[in-house]
């Protein structure tokens, strides 16, 4: 029992050190994300300031039909008689519908940016579900802002801003309960669960789904 206690203490020290390093990396990533968002916004404003009206070579404004796409998105996943089942939702959003709804509720209460509202011309903006769907797809699949445009009908700068705000909200709302450092009791529970699954001594694992396999065999 004494050996197990020392083992847990050592694991806790190592975990604390890893968490400290992770916090430093997350802070650097947050700063980079903010800089990217600022750069994209400034570039868009500069481009709009340079070119007004119809000009040869100017990229045309894309009518994304965001309202009809928002309606379709609700009918696909977010109404009681949705087209796709909860199993489909879990497969595509990497979470259960009730968890998505809870996160949506919490984030909308924290940051009004995610609440649907009218713009200066009185036109309704994007649904909360559209913004969060775009963000979740980017995080779950490593997709780019351009790739999620097809499902959420959002511009690149809007998608990037939603991503940064989402990450900031998650960190603020859930750090204490879900992103905190594990306690000795947590470590013991994780060790027991891993051992029951055939991995004795394992606390966690790294998701390597986005790592490139250098020597991947090809047909």
């Amino acid at each position: 029992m004494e050996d197990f206690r020392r083992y847990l203490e050592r694991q806790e020290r190592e975990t604390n050190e890893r968490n400290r390093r992770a916090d430093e990396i997350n802070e650097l990533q947050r700063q980079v994300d903010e800089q990217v968002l600022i750069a994209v916004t400034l570039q868009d404003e500069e481009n709009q300031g340079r070119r007004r009206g119809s000009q040869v070579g100017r990229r045309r404004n894309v009518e994304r039909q965001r309202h009809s796409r928002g309606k379709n998105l609700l009918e696909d996943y977010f109404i009681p008689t949705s087209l796709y089942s909860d199993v489909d939702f879990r497969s595509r959003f990497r979470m259960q519908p009730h968890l998505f709804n809870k996160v949506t509720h919490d984030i909308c209460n924290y940051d009004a940016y995610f609440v649907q509202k009218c713009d200066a011309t009185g036109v309704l903006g994007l649904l909360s579900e559209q913004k969060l769907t775009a963000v979740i797809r980017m995080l779950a699949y490593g997709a780019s802002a351009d790739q999620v445009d097809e499902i959420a009908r959002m511009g690149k700068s809007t998608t990037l801003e939603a991503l940064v705000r989402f990450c900031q909200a998650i960190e603020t709302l859930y750090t204490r309960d879900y992103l905190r450092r594990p306690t000795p009791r947590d470590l013991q529970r994780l060790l027991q669960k891993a051992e029951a699954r055939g991995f004795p001594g394992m606390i966690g694992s790294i998701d390597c789904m986005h790592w490139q396999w250098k020597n991947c065999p090809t047909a």
Side-chain angles (χ1 to χ4, degrees):
M1 189 64 184
E2 182 66 21
D3 291 339
F4 183 71
R5 185 184 63 81
R6 287 197 297 268
Y7 173 78
L8 289 179
E9 290 175 349
R10 185 176 70 254
Q11 291 294 334
E12 183 177 11
R13 289 194 299 270
E14 293 176 354
T15 301
N16 289 339
E17 178 62 19
R18 287 196 298 268
N19 288 337
R20 184 186 65 80
R21 295 176 182 174
D23 290 341
E24 294 176 352
I25 294 174
N26 290 336
E27 176 61 21
L28 290 174
Q29 185 61 49
R30 185 186 65 81
Q31 295 176 5
V32 170
D33 290 340
E34 290 181 350
Q35 292 173 359
V36 169
L37 176 60
I38 292 172
V40 170
T41 303
L42 291 176
Q43 185 63 45
D44 287 345
E45 292 177 353
E46 182 179 356
N47 291 338
Q48 292 174 5
R50 287 177 179 175
R51 295 180 176 177
R52 296 291 182 181
S54 299
Q55 296 184 14
V56 177
R58 181 187 180 189
R59 182 178 179 180
R60 67 181 180 85
N61 292 329
V62 177
E63 177 51 58
R64 289 184 167 84
Q65 302 294 333
R66 60 187 183 186
H67 296 124
S68 62
R69 183 63 192 113
K71 179 176 179 293
N72 292 339
L73 189 63
L74 293 178
E75 293 173 346
D76 286 346
Y77 297 106
F78 298 106
I79 62 174
T81 57
S82 60
L83 176 63
Y84 297 105
S85 67
D86 289 353
V87 175
D88 295 323
F89 189 101
R90 172 66 179 84
S91 174
R92 294 167 186 174
F93 286 80
R94 295 294 190 258
M95 65 177 70
Q96 296 291 350
H98 67 84
L99 178 57
F100 184 96
N101 292 334
K102 180 183 185 306
V103 171
T104 300
H105 177 268
D106 292 347
I107 287 184
C108 287
N109 286 333
Y110 172 79
D111 188 349
Y113 170 82
F114 290 95
V115 179
Q116 186 184 38
K117 59 181 72 70
C118 294
D119 60 18
T121 63
V123 178
L124 272 176
L126 294 160
L127 293 167
S128 304
E129 289 81 2
Q130 284 174 280
K131 293 181 179 179
L132 291 174
T133 294
V135 170
I136 294 299
R137 292 298 178 92
M138 291 180 71
L139 295 174
Y141 296 102
S144 67
D146 288 333
Q147 288 174 311
V148 299
D149 182 12
E150 293 178 321
I151 186 172
R153 300 296 172 86
M154 292 168 54
K156 182 177 181 180
S157 60
T158 302
T159 303
L160 292 176
E161 182 179 6
L163 176 63
V164 172
R165 285 177 174 268
F166 176 86
C167 293
Q168 291 173 343
I170 290 294
E171 182 178 2
T172 301
L173 293 171
Y174 301 127
T175 292
R176 186 177 65 179
D177 294 331
Y178 302 108
L179 304 177
R180 59 176 173 78
R181 293 180 174 86
T183 64
R185 183 177 180 181
D186 293 330
L187 292 173
Q188 184 174 2
R189 176 176 55 82
L190 292 172
L191 287 169
Q192 291 174 349
K193 181 182 293 186
E195 185 173 3
R197 294 176 176 176
F199 297 95
M202 186 186 77
I203 295 176
S205 60
I206 298 177
D207 181 1
C208 302
M209 64 178 296
H210 297 302
W211 286 22
Q212 182 178 3
W213 186 2
K214 179 181 177 182
N215 297 322
C216 178
T218 57

